[in-house]
Amino acid sequence: MAHPDPQEAETNERYSHSRIYQWFDSRLDLDDELLGKAFPEDRYGSFLLGEVSLFCFVILAVTGTVLGLLYVPAAQNVQYVGQVSDYAGTTVPQAFSSVLHITYDVRLGMYVRMLHHWASYVFVAAIGIHAMRIFFSGAYRNPREINWVIGTSLLAIAMIEGFLGYALPYDNFSQTATGIGFQLTQSIPFIGTWVTNLVFGGNWPANASTIIPRMFFYHVFLLPAVIAGLIAAHLGILVRQKHTEQQGTRKDLPDTENAPDYDDESVVVGIPFAPNQIAVTIIVGLFTVGIVSFLAGLFPIQRIAIAGPASPFETPLQPAPAWFFMWTYGALKLAISALGSYGTFVFGVLIPGLVVGAMFLWPFVDRSEEPRHFTANPLDRPLPTAVGIASIAFVLILSIAGMNEIVAESLGPNITATMLHLPLQLLSVVIPVVYGLIVYFMLRRRVRRKDSKRSANRSKMDSAGRMPDDD
């Protein structure tokens, strides 16, 4: 006769007073292995960043569907008929006209556009901060290297997705910003023109009538399907391997017979997926929707009517990409003139490519032979933490270089962006190296002191253990 599972009996007893739980349990078997999966205790909420990015993707899918049904991916000129008086009766590209129609003529059109806009920003930010947590806690180590590669792929594709969406309004601003991306693609030695023609079908903006429909397909159908597949694989592997756990949380567990050992990596201590984690997930989802809605309602960043339709004879003042591409734009601005045409490739393609490539390869550099199911304290990992801090400093300096005109204006009327070129070049090298070395030597000293203290305590315990024999 099979004995009842103690954990199942405990769960049923805990929620015996809940008719709702009992109703779902009788139909969905909420105590099975999957729904009973333990989610580790998270004191700081950092484990929920992945869920934030997931809900942002859902918002992007919903709002993108609405916008895709109303948008016209065409570059040919049409006469604008709408509420924006500045363009009434004028000839504008059809893609531009359709975005004006969505924004000003469709009820809640502006709100849906801004939901899509802000959700994309939060989506990339959540993935990026989530990757930082994984990196600094060492949660990418054996056996989770594959999931780190998938997560890095998600970050890279999300950024490319943002670039593709930039071109779709086909206003003067997006034409300029997107043109920078095309210049980077064409700068690749030997194969640049071939890659540009293969992926985009021609040069920008001369072949806009061909490129915009392609980019619309990539942005609305192809890359979202790839992202959805990667998210599914990421979650599937996560369920299969279990979450990493913050090891320090076990010190507060009651000392009972069934309590796991402090170093036991075969189990995860936390709350079950149903109903506890489901309730947390619902709260995170509502919180994410609320924050994105707040940003969309009160900060409707809208430049299309001001920038005007795409024109080869006009360039908007201080064109710049989205914030998550600002560091690449900054690297391009810092290109050394002595390199000539190769400077665009080296600073705009090669350096960012090396950064992303290092992210993909890092789990195989800082690898462990044995599986690691506990997160590590970043203060106990001098080299990885130093590399992470140096990388963040490098990206921040390049992002500042991407906004060098604004920085120059803030420093005073006698300062120009050209004057900041050489200082920013030096800072982009010096600051990451200095920060990395400071962090490394400080943490290495901390680890040595910690090891010395542990050795001293062990020696005292050994001495105390031998005292009876000496007597």
Side-chain angles (χ1 to χ4, degrees), residues 226-342:
V226 174
I227 292 175
L230 290 175
I231 290 176
H234 191 76
L235 294 177
I237 294 175
L238 181 66
V239 171
R240 177 69 176 174
Q241 294 181 338
K242 305 191 301 292
H243 285 77
T244 52
E245 182 187 344
Q246 295 175 350
Q247 190 173 23
T249 59
R250 295 196 178 192
K251 65 183 180 181
D252 299 327
L253 292 176
D255 187 12
T256 62
E257 182 180 352
N258 295 326
D261 295 335
Y262 187 81
D263 296 323
D264 186 2
E265 296 186 347
S266 63
V267 297
V268 174
V269 175
I271 60 176
F273 176 63
N276 305 65
Q277 186 62 31
I278 289 180
V280 175
T281 300
I282 292 174
I283 293 173
V284 173
L286 294 176
F287 178 79
T288 303
V289 173
I291 291 296
V292 174
S293 298
F294 173 81
L295 294 172
L298 297 183
F299 300 95
I301 300 175
Q302 181 50 248
R303 296 179 292 233
I304 183 169
I306 299 175
S311 171
F313 305 107
E314 297 181 15
T315 301
L317 182 64
Q318 296 181 357
W323 67 267
F324 45 82
F325 267 121
M326 190 64 69
W327 66 286
T328 304
Y329 188 50
L332 184 61
K333 283 189 173 184
L334 296 183
I336 300 175
S337 57
L339 295 177
S341 59
Y342 288 102

Side-chain angles (χ1 to χ4, degrees), residues 16-35:
S16 59
H17 62 281
S18 175
R19 296 177 61 183
I20 296 177
Y21 176 81
Q22 295 298 333
W23 188 90
F24 280 102
D25 181 44
S26 64
R27 291 158 176 79
L28 302 177
D29 189 17
L30 298 182
D31 292 301
D32 69 5
E33 182 179 354
L34 177 61
L35 296 179

